[in-house]
Amino acid sequence: MTTTDPATTWRVQPAPPLPATPDDAGAWAYAGMCEIERLDELDTWGWSDLWAPLHVRLPLLRPTPYSRTHVWVAVRGDGGDAGDVVGYATLSEPLTANQHTAHVAVGVAASHRRHGVGDALLRAATEQAAADGRGTLHAYTSHSPEPEPGAGALESPVGSGRVPAEDAGVRFAQAHGFRLEQVERYSVLELGDEHGAGTPELTEHLAAARARAGEEYRTHTWLDEVPEDRLDDVARLYTRMSTDAPMGALDVQEDPWDADRVRAMRQRVADAGLHHLVTAAEHAPTGRLVAFSVLEVPLPDVPFAFQQDTLVLREHRGRSLGMLVKAVNLERLGAWRPGVRRVHTWNAQENDHMLAINVALGFRQAGVAAAWQRTGEGATTRHA
Ligand SMILES: CC(C)(COP(=O)(O)OP(=O)(O)OC[C@H]1O[C@@H](n2cnc3c(N)ncnc32)[C@H](O)[C@@H]1OP(=O)(O)O)[C@@H](O)C(=O)NCCC(=O)NCCS
C-alpha cells in the first residue's frame, strides 16, 4: 500500500531477496531494519547487547528445512538506501512442527509512529500468515523496568509478571487482537569479583552441586562441536525443551529434534558468528546425557554472552544437575573468555526452580519480555 503522512510518502513492500552478505546490493532494506531494531533496543534497555547486527541477522534469516522468515519493509521515497526504511515486519514460520503458528515482529522508526505504518506492516504479515494456514500468531514485546502492580500495569494471566499498560507495543498488540499469555523475566548476571568464574560464590555452588549429584553423574563441556555419538542425546534434550519449559496458554506442541537438526543449528549459529558453549551431564550407569546448559557467545570479543537453554530430564531432577551444568559452563566461560562481563537470560516468571538457580548464581532482573498470542477467533481485528 502507498500512503502519505504530513512529512513524506511511504509504502510497504516485501524486502528484496535475502543478500548473501551485508555488502550486497539488496542489503539496504535489511540494514534499515537492523538500525530500527538497534535504536529500539537502546530505547528499551539503554544498551544494545541484545541487538543482532546485520552480519548476525542475515544468516539467521536464511531459510532452513525447519523454518523460513518473510520480511517486509516500509520505505520512504524510492527506497534503495537503509535510511529510507521507516519500518519492518518479519514473519517466521516453523516448518516441521507447529505449522499452525507463526511468529510476527513489527518495528517502526520513532519518527514515523502513529501514522499507520505498523498497522500496514502487520497487515502484510498477517495476510501471508493466513495464506500459509497459520491461524495462531505469536509476538513478543520487551519492557524495562517491570512496572509496579496497579492501574498502569497489565498482569500476566499465568504466574506473575506485568507489562506497562500504556506502552506503544502493548497498545499496538491489544489493538490488533493479541492477548497477553505469559511474562518472562529478563535478567542479567554481572560477572566480576562477586559472581562468575573463580569467585567464592560460584566455587561453593559448584562444589555443593557436585556433592549432591554424586558419582553417578559426570559433566562434559563442548565448544561448538558436539561429538557425533552424542548428537541423538542432545536432540532429545532440545525436544524436551520444547515441552518442559512453562508455556502458559501459548498454543505450541512438541517440536521434535534429531541429530541432523542439531548439526543444522550448529551450522546456522556458526554462520551467524556465534559460539555455543555446552555443558552436559551424563548419567554414568546408562551413558546417556540427561541435562544440558547452553551459553551463546558472539564470535568477536564482545563483553557479553547469552544464557540459552538449560534442561534436566524429569526423571533426573532434584539432584542439583541444573545448577551443576550452569555453574560448570560459567566456569569454562570465564577461563575461555575472561573479558565477558555480562550474561543475559530469560525465564518464565512461573519457572520457580530455574529462577532460584539463576538468583543464586547472581542474576538480577533487568526487565520483562511479554509473550502475545492471537488465535483464529482473535484474528478478527478492527482491520479484518
Ligand atoms: C508498536 C509499533 C510497531 C507501532 O507502530 P506504529 O506505526 O506507530 O503503529 P500504527 O500507527 O499503525 O498504530 C496502530 C494502532 O496501534 C495502537 N497504538 C500504536 N502505538 C500506540 C501508542 N503509543 N499508544 C496507544 N496506542 C497505540 C493504536 O490503536 C493505533 O491506532 P490509532 O493510531 O488509530 O489509535 C511501534 O511503536 C514500535 O516499533 N514499537 C517498538 C517495537 C514494538 O513494540 N513492536 C511491537 C511488537 S511486535
Side-chain angles (χ1 to χ4, degrees), residues 36 40 44 88 104-110 112-121 139-143 166-173 175-176 372 382-383:
I36 293 173
D40 194 37
T44 305
Y88 69 88
V104 66
V106 180
V108 175
H112 280 68
R113 291 189 184 168
R114 296 313 288 274
H115 291 301
V117 180
D119 206 40
L121 284 160
Y140 280 88
T141 55
S142 296
H143 313 278
E166 294 305 320
D167 174 85
V170 168
R171 297 292 299 269
F172 180 77
H176 292 88
W372 299 85
R382 58 207 195 106
H383 304 295

Side-chain angles (χ1 to χ4, degrees), residues 233-249:
D233 274 6
V234 170
R236 184 166 69 132
L237 292 166
Y238 274 113
T239 302
R240 287 281 193 99
M241 211 50 233
S242 73
T243 54
D244 285 15
M247 295 293 219

